[in-house]
Amino acid sequence: MAVLDIRDVSKTFGSVHAVQRFNLTVADGELVCLLGPSGSGKSTLLRMIGGFETASGGQITIDGEHVTRIPPEKRPTGMVFQSHALWTHMNVFRNLAFGLKLRRLPRDEIRRRVEAVLDQVGLAGYGQRMTHQLSGGQQQRVALARSLVLEPKILLLDEPFASLDQHLRERLREEVRDLQQRLGITTLFVTHGQDEALALADRIVVMRDGRTEQIDPPDMVYRAPATPFVAGFIGSMNLIDGAVQNGAFHHAGFTLAVPVADGPAILAVRPEALDIVQASAAGAAHVHRVTDFGAHAIVDIELGDGVRLKSQVPDARLWKAGMAIDLQPRAFAVYRDDVAIHRADRA
Amino acid sequence: MDRPRTDWTGIAFATALTLLIVFPLLVVATWAFTNVWRYPSVIPQEFGLRYWHAVLGRADVWTSITTSLTLATVVTLISAAICLPAAYAFARLEFPGRNILFFSFLAGHAFPKFGLLVAIAGIFLNLGLIGTFWGVVLIQLVGTLLFMIWIPVAAFQSVDRRMEESARDVGASPLRVFWSITLPQAGPTIAAALLLSFVGTFYETEGAWLIGAPQVRTLPVLMISFINNQPVIQFGAVLSVLLWVPSFIALLFARRVIGSGSFARGFGG
Ligand SMILES: Nc1ncnc2c1ncn2[C@@H]1O[C@H](COP(=O)(O)OP(=O)(O)O)[C@@H](O)[C@H]1O
Ligand SMILES: [Mg+2]
């Protein structure tokens, strides 16, 4: 059982507020992804949990025990860095055995545990290799094994696969997920890739400028983004700046009935929820370009004032550049002052 | 494939260097193994080990060899004990006065050395250190500070911080991290600094002579007094050939360190 609790944690570097009053509880065995653009404070938060940065304020507890002021070597956390940070003067076995030796375990127990964990990450028999004799993916597996072999209560991963190619990244992502579920280890995973977060997480924390924008399961973050920032950051999204007047959203000739009070508003529609029809008269927009992906097509749309939108359509052949069209959003959200004030889903 | 063009500049350069370095060495070596060599003959009339027997038969030569080896070893060890932690502090820790202190280590070498030595000799005279082994150790320590701080600082700075943090993460104390991760990672470069310190101390004459003479005489100091007092060239020649030994050992060692590939890895390669 390992529960990680983060209460009002802040970190300032001089005048930079890297993390601001952050709150999160990670349940036992849960995998939470910290997702946000570069500079949003993800690494700083993770490093505070691992003990590599001291929090400027707030408290971190693991299983109810305060760790906020404890040095990293005394914390029950295991950290995997983006640059694998393996010790290049040691072979794989010695990299994994180092932490166990510090715990003064007997020799054959060390050997047994190292071999078991190497087997788990698919590197059985690689113990005598030097780290530079491994591929990037293998190095990252060793780094993961080096943390796992100590059976930490909390596993922390800071963009562990960011330097690997797409294909390898996807494979390792699945391996980590399998391993994490098999071991039931409480995990925080930092990434700036939404795919990674959506594929891995039990819950996603979307961060921006050191603050939380939304904490929800992946499907909720995708279907009901709490703020326009989340809406724009996760998946592909059309965000249209406009105003509501007399129950209708307006932007450059495009109107949509919405039951909200008058005022400025942002309309958010995903390409797959934005239907288009050929306009009988002038139309609100016209087709700018059609890109055929076989199974579906993306139509780039230009509104009267030049703003571009995307619509996902089943058949590319129905649409030609220059064609006048009308827009019919099936599902959308209306945001005002950074919160959703209306959601609609006409399936 | 094209054959690489002959690099004439390189060859000329190498030849010039060889002549400049190897030729004088060859002459000295020849003198050392010469019993009789009178002008105007181009080669010695009689080769032999007569002067080797003469030199190695003298007690003061053996004393100075022991003195020099002990001195170089002691100075290198003490210098390492003082400078490596200091270098680590300079490379890794933030503390007030860091830059001024670092600069002061280097500043000593910005002034003419002999003036500094005379000033130090004055202080040592008051402390009763003149003519003592530890006096010479102290003066040599000052001489090693520059590269025993500078080189290791650079070496420590090039060690990946994430490596050190990973070690903390698996349970190593800061001291253990230094010993098990930082030092081995910076190892080859630091070995080079130790080597420089040893060889530099072994060959240093000005300080050794000023502080040590006449009670404490290192091998180079003895050689100088031989050359000054003995009209026979061979005495000096034999001693200087003896003096090459540590250089050769150092070079062999350096070759092993560099050749093993750990040298490149030490620089993060
Ligand atoms: N050691 C540091 N000193 C000063 N500023 C820092 C330091 N570490 C991070 N920052 C700043 O804190 C903010 C958050 O950084 P970081 O946590 O690395 O973001 P992320 O991991 O999301 O890219 C950034 O503005 C960054 O410049
Ligand atoms: Mg980061």
Side-chain angles (χ1 to χ4, degrees), chain B residues 140-169:
Chain B
Q140 300 297 356
L141 264 182
V142 174
T144 61
L145 286 184
L146 177 70
F147 45 84
M148 281 296 279
I149 297 263
W150 202 334
I151 297 175
V153 163
F156 287 139
Q157 273 172 343
S158 73
V159 174
D160 180 6
R161 282 200 177 216
R162 298 285 176 265
M163 273 192 209
E164 296 175 325
E165 288 180 343
S166 301
R168 292 290 295 279
D169 199 48

PDB file of all heavy atoms in Angstrom, chain B residues 140-169:
ATOM      1  N   GLN B 140      56.344  22.735  -2.271  1.00  0.00           N
ATOM      2  CA  GLN B 140      55.905  22.000  -3.460  1.00  0.00           C
ATOM      3  C   GLN B 140      54.384  21.931  -3.537  1.00  0.00           C
ATOM      4  O   GLN B 140      53.802  21.958  -4.614  1.00  0.00           O
ATOM      5  CB  GLN B 140      56.481  20.578  -3.484  1.00  0.00           C
ATOM      6  CG  GLN B 140      57.996  20.512  -3.501  1.00  0.00           C
ATOM      7  CD  GLN B 140      58.576  21.132  -4.756  1.00  0.00           C
ATOM      8  OE1 GLN B 140      57.852  21.540  -5.652  1.00  0.00           O
ATOM      9  NE2 GLN B 140      59.890  21.226  -4.802  1.00  0.00           N
ATOM     10  N   LEU B 141      53.744  21.838  -2.368  1.00  0.00           N
ATOM     11  CA  LEU B 141      52.276  21.830  -2.330  1.00  0.00           C
ATOM     12  C   LEU B 141      51.715  23.072  -3.012  1.00  0.00           C
ATOM     13  O   LEU B 141      50.787  22.988  -3.811  1.00  0.00           O
ATOM     14  CB  LEU B 141      51.795  21.799  -0.880  1.00  0.00           C
ATOM     15  CG  LEU B 141      51.444  20.437  -0.294  1.00  0.00           C
ATOM     16  CD1 LEU B 141      50.945  20.606   1.127  1.00  0.00           C
ATOM     17  CD2 LEU B 141      50.386  19.758  -1.144  1.00  0.00           C
ATOM     18  N   VAL B 142      52.318  24.217  -2.681  1.00  0.00           N
ATOM     19  CA  VAL B 142      51.868  25.469  -3.283  1.00  0.00           C
ATOM     20  C   VAL B 142      51.947  25.366  -4.806  1.00  0.00           C
ATOM     21  O   VAL B 142      51.040  25.781  -5.521  1.00  0.00           O
ATOM     22  CB  VAL B 142      52.722  26.657  -2.782  1.00  0.00           C
ATOM     23  CG1 VAL B 142      52.353  27.932  -3.520  1.00  0.00           C
ATOM     24  CG2 VAL B 142      52.562  26.822  -1.288  1.00  0.00           C
ATOM     25  N   GLY B 143      53.025  24.741  -5.285  1.00  0.00           N
ATOM     26  CA  GLY B 143      53.208  24.622  -6.731  1.00  0.00           C
ATOM     27  C   GLY B 143      52.186  23.730  -7.406  1.00  0.00           C
ATOM     28  O   GLY B 143      51.874  23.904  -8.580  1.00  0.00           O
ATOM     29  N   THR B 144      51.651  22.747  -6.650  1.00  0.00           N
ATOM     30  CA  THR B 144      50.708  21.821  -7.291  1.00  0.00           C
ATOM     31  C   THR B 144      49.282  22.349  -7.284  1.00  0.00           C
ATOM     32  O   THR B 144      48.434  21.839  -8.007  1.00  0.00           O
ATOM     33  CB  THR B 144      50.703  20.446  -6.587  1.00  0.00           C
ATOM     34  OG1 THR B 144      50.299  20.651  -5.238  1.00  0.00           O
ATOM     35  CG2 THR B 144      52.064  19.789  -6.652  1.00  0.00           C
ATOM     36  N   LEU B 145      49.016  23.363  -6.437  1.00  0.00           N
ATOM     37  CA  LEU B 145      47.630  23.820  -6.259  1.00  0.00           C
ATOM     38  C   LEU B 145      46.948  24.135  -7.584  1.00  0.00           C
ATOM     39  O   LEU B 145      45.805  23.765  -7.807  1.00  0.00           O
ATOM     40  CB  LEU B 145      47.587  25.058  -5.361  1.00  0.00           C
ATOM     41  CG  LEU B 145      47.821  24.794  -3.870  1.00  0.00           C
ATOM     42  CD1 LEU B 145      47.660  26.081  -3.082  1.00  0.00           C
ATOM     43  CD2 LEU B 145      46.845  23.747  -3.364  1.00  0.00           C
ATOM     44  N   LEU B 146      47.679  24.819  -8.472  1.00  0.00           N
ATOM     45  CA  LEU B 146      47.061  25.306  -9.702  1.00  0.00           C
ATOM     46  C   LEU B 146      46.361  24.184 -10.458  1.00  0.00           C
ATOM     47  O   LEU B 146      45.148  24.197 -10.630  1.00  0.00           O
ATOM     48  CB  LEU B 146      48.102  25.973 -10.597  1.00  0.00           C
ATOM     49  CG  LEU B 146      47.550  26.450 -11.943  1.00  0.00           C
ATOM     50  CD1 LEU B 146      46.621  27.636 -11.756  1.00  0.00           C
ATOM     51  CD2 LEU B 146      48.675  26.803 -12.902  1.00  0.00           C
ATOM     52  N   PHE B 147      47.141  23.176 -10.887  1.00  0.00           N
ATOM     53  CA  PHE B 147      46.477  22.161 -11.719  1.00  0.00           C
ATOM     54  C   PHE B 147      45.735  21.117 -10.902  1.00  0.00           C
ATOM     55  O   PHE B 147      44.845  20.460 -11.406  1.00  0.00           O
ATOM     56  CB  PHE B 147      47.457  21.497 -12.699  1.00  0.00           C
ATOM     57  CG  PHE B 147      48.770  21.108 -12.123  1.00  0.00           C
ATOM     58  CD1 PHE B 147      48.907  19.916 -11.470  1.00  0.00           C
ATOM     59  CD2 PHE B 147      49.868  21.952 -12.250  1.00  0.00           C
ATOM     60  CE1 PHE B 147      50.118  19.547 -10.939  1.00  0.00           C
ATOM     61  CE2 PHE B 147      51.089  21.600 -11.721  1.00  0.00           C
ATOM     62  CZ  PHE B 147      51.215  20.384 -11.055  1.00  0.00           C
ATOM     63  N   MET B 148      46.072  20.994  -9.601  1.00  0.00           N
ATOM     64  CA  MET B 148      45.315  20.039  -8.792  1.00  0.00           C
ATOM     65  C   MET B 148      43.941  20.589  -8.417  1.00  0.00           C
ATOM     66  O   MET B 148      43.088  19.867  -7.905  1.00  0.00           O
ATOM     67  CB  MET B 148      46.102  19.666  -7.536  1.00  0.00           C
ATOM     68  CG  MET B 148      47.194  18.651  -7.810  1.00  0.00           C
ATOM     69  SD  MET B 148      46.558  17.062  -8.377  1.00  0.00           S
ATOM     70  CE  MET B 148      46.089  16.354  -6.804  1.00  0.00           C
ATOM     71  N   ILE B 149      43.723  21.881  -8.616  1.00  0.00           N
ATOM     72  CA  ILE B 149      42.376  22.430  -8.433  1.00  0.00           C
ATOM     73  C   ILE B 149      41.714  22.573  -9.794  1.00  0.00           C
ATOM     74  O   ILE B 149      40.616  22.087 -10.036  1.00  0.00           O
ATOM     75  CB  ILE B 149      42.430  23.817  -7.748  1.00  0.00           C
ATOM     76  CG1 ILE B 149      43.024  23.698  -6.354  1.00  0.00           C
ATOM     77  CG2 ILE B 149      41.057  24.452  -7.735  1.00  0.00           C
ATOM     78  CD1 ILE B 149      42.038  23.609  -5.239  1.00  0.00           C
ATOM     79  N   TRP B 150      42.439  23.212 -10.697  1.00  0.00           N
ATOM     80  CA  TRP B 150      41.848  23.572 -11.975  1.00  0.00           C
ATOM     81  C   TRP B 150      41.379  22.348 -12.771  1.00  0.00           C
ATOM     82  O   TRP B 150      40.232  22.266 -13.210  1.00  0.00           O
ATOM     83  CB  TRP B 150      42.878  24.361 -12.790  1.00  0.00           C
ATOM     84  CG  TRP B 150      42.259  25.205 -13.846  1.00  0.00           C
ATOM     85  CD1 TRP B 150      41.056  24.999 -14.462  1.00  0.00           C
ATOM     86  CD2 TRP B 150      42.801  26.387 -14.416  1.00  0.00           C
ATOM     87  NE1 TRP B 150      40.831  25.983 -15.376  1.00  0.00           N
ATOM     88  CE2 TRP B 150      41.881  26.842 -15.369  1.00  0.00           C
ATOM     89  CE3 TRP B 150      43.978  27.106 -14.226  1.00  0.00           C
ATOM     90  CZ2 TRP B 150      42.113  27.982 -16.127  1.00  0.00           C
ATOM     91  CZ3 TRP B 150      44.195  28.234 -14.982  1.00  0.00           C
ATOM     92  CH2 TRP B 150      43.272  28.671 -15.917  1.00  0.00           C
ATOM     93  N   ILE B 151      42.274  21.405 -12.946  1.00  0.00           N
ATOM     94  CA  ILE B 151      41.924  20.231 -13.763  1.00  0.00           C
ATOM     95  C   ILE B 151      40.775  19.435 -13.134  1.00  0.00           C
ATOM     96  O   ILE B 151      39.788  19.145 -13.806  1.00  0.00           O
ATOM     97  CB  ILE B 151      43.162  19.343 -14.015  1.00  0.00           C
ATOM     98  CG1 ILE B 151      44.192  20.140 -14.829  1.00  0.00           C
ATOM     99  CG2 ILE B 151      42.783  18.057 -14.742  1.00  0.00           C
ATOM    100  CD1 ILE B 151      45.505  19.400 -15.043  1.00  0.00           C
ATOM    101  N   PRO B 152      40.844  19.099 -11.834  1.00  0.00           N
ATOM    102  CA  PRO B 152      39.711  18.368 -11.256  1.00  0.00           C
ATOM    103  C   PRO B 152      38.400  19.154 -11.259  1.00  0.00           C
ATOM    104  O   PRO B 152      37.343  18.550 -11.409  1.00  0.00           O
ATOM    105  CB  PRO B 152      40.173  18.071  -9.828  1.00  0.00           C
ATOM    106  CG  PRO B 152      41.655  18.024  -9.924  1.00  0.00           C
ATOM    107  CD  PRO B 152      42.011  19.096 -10.911  1.00  0.00           C
ATOM    108  N   VAL B 153      38.454  20.477 -11.113  1.00  0.00           N
ATOM    109  CA  VAL B 153      37.206  21.253 -11.187  1.00  0.00           C
ATOM    110  C   VAL B 153      36.533  20.992 -12.533  1.00  0.00           C
ATOM    111  O   VAL B 153      35.342  20.678 -12.611  1.00  0.00           O
ATOM    112  CB  VAL B 153      37.452  22.763 -10.995  1.00  0.00           C
ATOM    113  CG1 VAL B 153      36.258  23.572 -11.484  1.00  0.00           C
ATOM    114  CG2 VAL B 153      37.692  23.081  -9.530  1.00  0.00           C
ATOM    115  N   ALA B 154      37.334  21.084 -13.594  1.00  0.00           N
ATOM    116  CA  ALA B 154      36.785  20.835 -14.934  1.00  0.00           C
ATOM    117  C   ALA B 154      36.265  19.403 -15.029  1.00  0.00           C
ATOM    118  O   ALA B 154      35.197  19.159 -15.594  1.00  0.00           O
ATOM    119  CB  ALA B 154      37.855  21.087 -15.988  1.00  0.00           C
ATOM    120  N   ALA B 155      37.018  18.466 -14.447  1.00  0.00           N
ATOM    121  CA  ALA B 155      36.605  17.061 -14.520  1.00  0.00           C
ATOM    122  C   ALA B 155      35.286  16.841 -13.779  1.00  0.00           C
ATOM    123  O   ALA B 155      34.381  16.183 -14.290  1.00  0.00           O
ATOM    124  CB  ALA B 155      37.695  16.167 -13.931  1.00  0.00           C
ATOM    125  N   PHE B 156      35.174  17.425 -12.587  1.00  0.00           N
ATOM    126  CA  PHE B 156      33.944  17.240 -11.807  1.00  0.00           C
ATOM    127  C   PHE B 156      32.759  17.898 -12.501  1.00  0.00           C
ATOM    128  O   PHE B 156      31.652  17.375 -12.502  1.00  0.00           O
ATOM    129  CB  PHE B 156      34.100  17.820 -10.405  1.00  0.00           C
ATOM    130  CG  PHE B 156      34.984  16.994  -9.513  1.00  0.00           C
ATOM    131  CD1 PHE B 156      35.897  17.591  -8.671  1.00  0.00           C
ATOM    132  CD2 PHE B 156      34.900  15.610  -9.523  1.00  0.00           C
ATOM    133  CE1 PHE B 156      36.717  16.835  -7.853  1.00  0.00           C
ATOM    134  CE2 PHE B 156      35.712  14.841  -8.717  1.00  0.00           C
ATOM    135  CZ  PHE B 156      36.631  15.456  -7.878  1.00  0.00           C
ATOM    136  N   GLN B 157      33.012  19.070 -13.095  1.00  0.00           N
ATOM    137  CA  GLN B 157      31.908  19.776 -13.745  1.00  0.00           C
ATOM    138  C   GLN B 157      31.354  18.995 -14.927  1.00  0.00           C
ATOM    139  O   GLN B 157      30.192  19.125 -15.267  1.00  0.00           O
ATOM    140  CB  GLN B 157      32.360  21.166 -14.195  1.00  0.00           C
ATOM    141  CG  GLN B 157      32.206  22.191 -13.086  1.00  0.00           C
ATOM    142  CD  GLN B 157      32.810  23.533 -13.436  1.00  0.00           C
ATOM    143  OE1 GLN B 157      33.604  23.638 -14.365  1.00  0.00           O
ATOM    144  NE2 GLN B 157      32.455  24.551 -12.695  1.00  0.00           N
ATOM    145  N   SER B 158      32.204  18.179 -15.547  1.00  0.00           N
ATOM    146  CA  SER B 158      31.731  17.451 -16.719  1.00  0.00           C
ATOM    147  C   SER B 158      30.997  16.165 -16.338  1.00  0.00           C
ATOM    148  O   SER B 158      30.466  15.479 -17.195  1.00  0.00           O
ATOM    149  CB  SER B 158      32.886  17.147 -17.660  1.00  0.00           C
ATOM    150  OG  SER B 158      33.686  16.134 -17.104  1.00  0.00           O
ATOM    151  N   VAL B 159      30.939  15.842 -15.051  1.00  0.00           N
ATOM    152  CA  VAL B 159      30.185  14.650 -14.642  1.00  0.00           C
ATOM    153  C   VAL B 159      28.692  14.973 -14.652  1.00  0.00           C
ATOM    154  O   VAL B 159      28.270  15.986 -14.100  1.00  0.00           O
ATOM    155  CB  VAL B 159      30.609  14.178 -13.234  1.00  0.00           C
ATOM    156  CG1 VAL B 159      29.733  13.035 -12.766  1.00  0.00           C
ATOM    157  CG2 VAL B 159      32.065  13.759 -13.237  1.00  0.00           C
ATOM    158  N   ASP B 160      27.915  14.107 -15.301  1.00  0.00           N
ATOM    159  CA  ASP B 160      26.471  14.306 -15.436  1.00  0.00           C
ATOM    160  C   ASP B 160      25.808  14.324 -14.054  1.00  0.00           C
ATOM    161  O   ASP B 160      25.906  13.376 -13.288  1.00  0.00           O
ATOM    162  CB  ASP B 160      25.900  13.161 -16.287  1.00  0.00           C
ATOM    163  CG  ASP B 160      24.402  13.276 -16.482  1.00  0.00           C
ATOM    164  OD1 ASP B 160      23.824  14.305 -16.063  1.00  0.00           O
ATOM    165  OD2 ASP B 160      23.818  12.349 -17.050  1.00  0.00           O
ATOM    166  N   ARG B 161      25.105  15.413 -13.764  1.00  0.00           N
ATOM    167  CA  ARG B 161      24.470  15.548 -12.455  1.00  0.00           C
ATOM    168  C   ARG B 161      23.383  14.513 -12.230  1.00  0.00           C
ATOM    169  O   ARG B 161      23.111  14.106 -11.104  1.00  0.00           O
ATOM    170  CB  ARG B 161      23.835  16.924 -12.323  1.00  0.00           C
ATOM    171  CG  ARG B 161      24.849  17.969 -12.042  1.00  0.00           C
ATOM    172  CD  ARG B 161      24.154  19.150 -11.442  1.00  0.00           C
ATOM    173  NE  ARG B 161      25.158  20.133 -11.120  1.00  0.00           N
ATOM    174  CZ  ARG B 161      25.096  20.918 -10.064  1.00  0.00           C
ATOM    175  NH1 ARG B 161      24.081  20.823  -9.256  1.00  0.00           N
ATOM    176  NH2 ARG B 161      26.041  21.783  -9.826  1.00  0.00           N
ATOM    177  N   ARG B 162      22.751  14.116 -13.321  1.00  0.00           N
ATOM    178  CA  ARG B 162      21.688  13.117 -13.178  1.00  0.00           C
ATOM    179  C   ARG B 162      22.250  11.801 -12.664  1.00  0.00           C
ATOM    180  O   ARG B 162      21.578  11.055 -11.972  1.00  0.00           O
ATOM    181  CB  ARG B 162      20.985  12.911 -14.523  1.00  0.00           C
ATOM    182  CG  ARG B 162      20.298  14.150 -15.054  1.00  0.00           C
ATOM    183  CD  ARG B 162      19.003  14.444 -14.300  1.00  0.00           C
ATOM    184  NE  ARG B 162      18.396  15.692 -14.747  1.00  0.00           N
ATOM    185  CZ  ARG B 162      18.575  16.867 -14.156  1.00  0.00           C
ATOM    186  NH1 ARG B 162      19.338  16.949 -13.077  1.00  0.00           N
ATOM    187  NH2 ARG B 162      17.991  17.953 -14.615  1.00  0.00           N
ATOM    188  N   MET B 163      23.510  11.511 -13.058  1.00  0.00           N
ATOM    189  CA  MET B 163      24.157  10.299 -12.551  1.00  0.00           C
ATOM    190  C   MET B 163      24.293  10.359 -11.043  1.00  0.00           C
ATOM    191  O   MET B 163      24.051   9.382 -10.338  1.00  0.00           O
ATOM    192  CB  MET B 163      25.558  10.169 -13.145  1.00  0.00           C
ATOM    193  CG  MET B 163      25.596   9.477 -14.466  1.00  0.00           C
ATOM    194  SD  MET B 163      27.320   9.098 -14.828  1.00  0.00           S
ATOM    195  CE  MET B 163      27.248   9.159 -16.587  1.00  0.00           C
ATOM    196  N   GLU B 164      24.697  11.536 -10.557  1.00  0.00           N
ATOM    197  CA  GLU B 164      24.856  11.695  -9.112  1.00  0.00           C
ATOM    198  C   GLU B 164      23.492  11.622  -8.421  1.00  0.00           C
ATOM    199  O   GLU B 164      23.357  10.998  -7.370  1.00  0.00           O
ATOM    200  CB  GLU B 164      25.530  13.034  -8.811  1.00  0.00           C
ATOM    201  CG  GLU B 164      26.936  13.107  -9.374  1.00  0.00           C
ATOM    202  CD  GLU B 164      27.591  14.477  -9.190  1.00  0.00           C
ATOM    203  OE1 GLU B 164      26.891  15.503  -9.267  1.00  0.00           O
ATOM    204  OE2 GLU B 164      28.802  14.503  -8.980  1.00  0.00           O
ATOM    205  N   GLU B 165      22.494  12.234  -9.043  1.00  0.00           N
ATOM    206  CA  GLU B 165      21.160  12.205  -8.436  1.00  0.00           C
ATOM    207  C   GLU B 165      20.593  10.792  -8.418  1.00  0.00           C
ATOM    208  O   GLU B 165      19.948  10.387  -7.452  1.00  0.00           O
ATOM    209  CB  GLU B 165      20.225  13.156  -9.194  1.00  0.00           C
ATOM    210  CG  GLU B 165      20.556  14.607  -8.911  1.00  0.00           C
ATOM    211  CD  GLU B 165      19.667  15.600  -9.642  1.00  0.00           C
ATOM    212  OE1 GLU B 165      18.990  15.203 -10.613  1.00  0.00           O
ATOM    213  OE2 GLU B 165      19.651  16.768  -9.260  1.00  0.00           O
ATOM    214  N   SER B 166      20.853  10.033  -9.484  1.00  0.00           N
ATOM    215  CA  SER B 166      20.393   8.640  -9.509  1.00  0.00           C
ATOM    216  C   SER B 166      20.997   7.864  -8.357  1.00  0.00           C
ATOM    217  O   SER B 166      20.338   7.001  -7.771  1.00  0.00           O
ATOM    218  CB  SER B 166      20.797   7.958 -10.815  1.00  0.00           C
ATOM    219  OG  SER B 166      20.261   8.629 -11.900  1.00  0.00           O
ATOM    220  N   ALA B 167      22.242   8.158  -8.045  1.00  0.00           N
ATOM    221  CA  ALA B 167      22.902   7.445  -6.951  1.00  0.00           C
ATOM    222  C   ALA B 167      22.270   7.827  -5.614  1.00  0.00           C
ATOM    223  O   ALA B 167      22.029   6.964  -4.758  1.00  0.00           O
ATOM    224  CB  ALA B 167      24.396   7.736  -6.946  1.00  0.00           C
ATOM    225  N   ARG B 168      21.978   9.119  -5.438  1.00  0.00           N
ATOM    226  CA  ARG B 168      21.260   9.527  -4.227  1.00  0.00           C
ATOM    227  C   ARG B 168      19.930   8.785  -4.167  1.00  0.00           C
ATOM    228  O   ARG B 168      19.513   8.306  -3.118  1.00  0.00           O
ATOM    229  CB  ARG B 168      20.971  11.037  -4.250  1.00  0.00           C
ATOM    230  CG  ARG B 168      22.168  11.949  -4.136  1.00  0.00           C
ATOM    231  CD  ARG B 168      22.808  11.925  -2.774  1.00  0.00           C
ATOM    232  NE  ARG B 168      21.997  12.437  -1.682  1.00  0.00           N
ATOM    233  CZ  ARG B 168      21.843  13.724  -1.378  1.00  0.00           C
ATOM    234  NH1 ARG B 168      22.464  14.629  -2.088  1.00  0.00           N
ATOM    235  NH2 ARG B 168      21.088  14.103  -0.355  1.00  0.00           N
ATOM    236  N   ASP B 169      19.285   8.685  -5.318  1.00  0.00           N
ATOM    237  CA  ASP B 169      17.955   8.088  -5.399  1.00  0.00           C
ATOM    238  C   ASP B 169      17.950   6.639  -4.912  1.00  0.00           C
ATOM    239  O   ASP B 169      16.996   6.209  -4.285  1.00  0.00           O
ATOM    240  CB  ASP B 169      17.458   8.161  -6.845  1.00  0.00           C
ATOM    241  CG  ASP B 169      15.959   7.991  -6.938  1.00  0.00           C
ATOM    242  OD1 ASP B 169      15.252   8.660  -6.164  1.00  0.00           O
ATOM    243  OD2 ASP B 169      15.505   7.186  -7.765  1.00  0.00           O
TER     244      ASP B 169
END
